[in-house]
Amino acid sequence: MDLLHAPRLQPFGPRSQREALLERLRPEFYGLDTEYELADGRRARRIYLDSAASNLRLKVADAIVHRALAHYANTHSQLHFGARIMTALYHQAHRIVLDFVGADDAYTAVFHGNGVTGCINRMARVLAHKRPERDVVITTLMEHHANDLPHRKHAGKVVHVPLEHDPDGEAGRVDLEALAEAIEAHADRLNYVAITCASNVTGIINPVHEIARMAHAAGALVLVDAAQSAAHLPLSVVAEDPAENLDVLVMSGHKIYAPGSPGVIVARKDLFLGLEPEEIGGGVVTFVDARRYTITDRLPDREETGTPNIPGALALAATLYLMGRIGMDVIEADERQLTQYALDRFEAIPGLHLYGSHRLEVADRIGVITFNIEGLPHGFVTAVLNDYFGIAVRNECFCAQPFVRQLLGIADEHGVAPDACMTRVHDATEKPGMVRVSFGLYNTRADVDAAAEALRHIAGHAEDYAPHYVPVPDGSGDFRHVSFRFRPHDAFDLEREVDAWLRDNLV
Ligand code: PMP
């Protein structure tokens, strides 16, 4: 992507060598060999196609963190060896994050919460306090709720900008003309533009640096939700033209092959300074008596009170470093081929409708593909894929209700749904939603083939499966098999695991 500038980590050798390393990395994730018993009694290796929700954990990073744990100590301890090692590693983790997104000294990286939701809530509060005279936020109609509702809660007014449509009428990127108009209309009060780098519904990529330039020209900031894109695209917060620099970028460790890791905020340091940190306690103060306290200006310390999730941060940093050294250019090119292959295969399935523009020349996208099969509820298709084919995908609205409703033709051009939608308890056969297939580094053409063949089969033989399913009567849109019972605790049970250890260690 020419617009998404290369990050700072040095590539580990020539491209061909890095491509070979990527092949070596592909099987190095937990959960690729996991087998389950299916509804027809077969045991099958699961095919994980739900990476947009969370991707699988990288074994390499895990092994590195396990070795680091030999030195584990709290980073707030100071002088013993373990504390010094952990503190140095934790600093290194921040530096790697900054390098991964090409940040210079004007930026800080703050590990926060569990993912992007916490990070955006935090920044919505910070930016509202920082610039109270600017109480308008512009976002788009393609956002995850996490990049919409926190702004609604903390800003005076939120404006939702519509999307472009391709020649087939399918939704693409944010409409830059409409965005320019919204920015102009609110220029004097606009605090920031909050935009996703890639949609979790269509996978479509927005030109975030161009949007930054438009926002900056009006004295506004830009906050980029990189939850979906961070593991799949090269993205730098610093652009060739400083007017295109990103002010805030947020990522989720669990979507970067490091579930169990925190979210990360990469932001311009000056946005935090001059405000009391959102959370205070240990580790952020220089002086405390019973009446007063003073907060350090040191970043990121002042924004990370309390003991951090050190193993999680180290796992994420090791993963980012590995991906950065292999090269996000190599990773992006690899995934682009798989995505194109999948789009071609899915498009050829009779009755399957893909959402969002799938003309890559009009709307570039990452490996997130949503669709419905004519006449079949998304909950039914998803359940059959799991129960009979061992294929894990996600359905419903993906925490992006305004966008999904609009794509389904239920919400109007402003993203507003009819009043009845607010209170209506849907029957599962008509609950709005879609099926989503999404890729990670471990996915191959064989996975796509398996999904395409399963979907073709379901589309052509729905009547064979339908008698085995009933809607779950809880308004969720889910379907349940009438006789096949999968019991999660048969597959794994914490007490059983611990009891097994106790038994094995009886003396
Ligand atoms: N934004 C986007 C685009 C997402 O896809 C998600 C996760 N589905 C989020 C925000 C929220 O991230 P998290 O669940 O890590 O808080």
Side-chain angles (χ1 to χ4, degrees):
M1 282 297 297
D2 48 344
L3 284 173
L4 300 179
H5 310 286
R8 287 189 157 197
L9 291 175
Q10 283 300 318
F12 190 73
R15 195 177 172 106
S16 58
Q17 180 176 311
R18 294 184 284 122
E19 282 168 352
L21 284 166
L22 181 57
E23 284 312 315
R24 290 293 299 274
L25 195 65
R26 228 185 271 293
E28 293 295 325
F29 294 86
Y30 289 103
L32 293 176
D33 299 325
T34 307
E35 290 189 355
Y36 300 116
E37 188 175 316
L38 305 184
D40 56 11
R42 283 183 308 127
R43 269 191 90 74
R45 183 183 71 81
R46 75 159 173 179
I47 297 176
Y48 189 76
L49 292 175
D50 194 16
S51 290
S54 258
N55 45 31
L56 302 178
R57 187 163 164 130
L58 183 60
K59 290 181 183 169
V60 193
D62 224 28
I64 292 167
V65 173
H66 271 101
R67 291 206 293 283
L69 287 177
H71 307 281
Y72 184 80
N74 194 307
T75 47
H76 291 176
S77 300
Q78 297 287 341
L79 281 182
H80 63 77
F81 294 135
R84 281 155 62 187
I85 294 168
M86 270 304 129
T87 304
L89 294 183
Y90 193 54
H91 282 320
Q92 188 177 27
H94 288 89
R95 187 178 49 68
I96 289 171
V97 168
L98 291 170
D99 286 348
F100 185 79
V101 296
D104 60 23
D105 286 348
Y107 290 83
T108 188
V110 174
F111 290 111
H112 180 79
N114 298 320
V116 154
T117 304
C119 296
I120 296 183
N121 272 280
R122 168 89 168 268
M123 291 315 295
R125 293 191 298 264
V126 167
L127 297 177
H129 289 146
K130 184 81 184 171
R131 313 196 329 149
E133 71 291 356
R134 290 179 167 262
D135 63 344
V136 177
V137 172
I138 292 179
T139 187
T140 79
L141 278 172
M142 69 193 290
E143 303 301 321
H144 188 282
H145 298 161
N147 198 24
D148 179 358
L149 304 184
H151 315 306
R152 292 198 210 176
K153 184 169 162 87
H154 297 290
K157 176 179 165 114
V158 173
V159 178
H160 294 88
V161 175
L163 311 183
E164 260 174 13
H165 286 81
D166 75 8
D168 308 318
E170 301 285 354
R173 319 184 302 177
V174 64
D175 181 337
L176 292 182
E177 268 177 38
L179 178 63
E181 278 167 28
I183 290 176
E184 198 187 329
H186 299 282
D188 53 333
R189 284 173 46 199
L190 182 59
N191 192 351
Y192 57 96
V193 175
I195 177 113
T196 192
C197 182
S199 162
N200 68 320
V201 178
T202 60
I204 287 172
I205 302 166
N206 282 313
V208 291
H209 289 289
E210 199 175 334
I211 291 166
R213 185 170 42 72
M214 293 162 69
H216 291 158
L221 304 168
V222 68
L223 178 156
V224 173
D225 173 357
Q228 284 301 329
S229 62
H232 308 283
L233 294 177
L235 177 60
S236 174
V237 291
V238 170
E240 268 155 42
D241 177 354
E244 296 192 346
N245 287 357
L246 311 181
D247 303 291
V248 181
L249 177 120
V250 289
M251 308 186 273
S252 295
H254 71 95
K255 293 190 201 283
I256 313 178
Y257 306 107
S261 297
V264 200
I265 302 166
V266 174
R268 271 176 31 203
K269 287 177 183 161
D270 62 294
L271 298 177
F272 291 116
L273 297 176
L275 284 179
E276 178 155 314
E278 278 287 309
E279 290 168 14
I280 54 172
V284 300
V285 283
T286 48
F287 165 84
V288 183
D289 73 8
R291 289 213 200 100
R292 296 156 300 175
Y293 57 86
T294 51
I295 305 276
T296 178
D297 269 346
R298 249 200 354 253
L299 280 164
D301 310 39
R302 74 193 298 278
E303 300 298 327
E304 288 189 354
T305 193
T307 300
N309 172 358
I310 301 168
L314 299 190
L316 176 55
T319 306
L320 289 177
Y321 186 68
L322 181 55
M323 292 173 70
R325 293 282 271 165
I326 285 180
M328 292 306 293
D329 54 340
V330 166
I331 289 173
E332 183 197 12
D334 181 78
E335 294 189 354
R336 181 180 298 269
Q337 282 182 12
L338 190 69
T339 304
Q340 183 62 65
Y341 180 71
L343 286 170
D344 291 346
R345 287 232 49 186
F346 290 178
E347 213 179 350
I349 298 172
L352 187 145
H353 176 76
L354 292 167
Y355 293 101
S357 177
H358 38 285
R359 294 177 171 222
L360 292 190
E361 73 286 2
V362 177
D364 204 4
R365 60 152 87 196
I366 58 167
V368 172
I369 299 173
T370 41
F371 55 85
N372 268 317
I373 297 179
E374 215 176 302
L376 301 183
H378 52 88
F380 170 78
V381 173
T382 303
V384 177
L385 277 175
N386 179 69
D387 297 350
Y388 285 92
F389 298 90
I391 297 176
V393 302
R394 177 153 175 196
N395 64 308
E396 290 191 45
C397 288
F398 326 114
C399 301
Q401 289 191 27
F403 189 22
V404 169
R405 282 218 181 79
Q406 218 179 32
L407 290 171
L408 292 171
I410 300 169
D412 66 15
E413 74 273 23
H414 307 292
V416 178
D419 287 350
C421 289
M422 273 185 87
T423 46
R424 175 135 166 239
V425 180
H426 287 276
D427 182 280
T429 52
E430 50 167 30
K431 169 100 180 173
M434 303 166 176
V435 183
R436 180 178 75 186
V437 162
S438 53
F439 304 126
L441 281 174
Y442 27 76
N443 290 121
T444 61
R445 286 189 175 206
D447 296 339
V448 173
D449 289 341
E453 275 147 35
L455 287 166
R456 187 180 282 275
H457 188 81
I458 295 168
H461 299 84
E463 66 286 356
D464 294 346
Y465 296 101
H468 299 295
Y469 283 91
V470 287
V472 180
D474 62 356
S476 66
D478 290 346
F479 278 72
R480 152 177 97 64
H481 200 281
V482 286
S483 56
F484 171 57
R485 286 282 169 274
F486 176 78
R487 292 180 187 80
H489 288 287
D490 289 350
F492 202 88
D493 185 89
L494 290 177
E495 288 160 327
R496 198 170 64 229
E497 295 288 320
V498 174
D499 285 342
W501 185 90
L502 292 171
R503 261 194 317 278
D504 292 349
N505 287 280
L506 263 184
V507 280

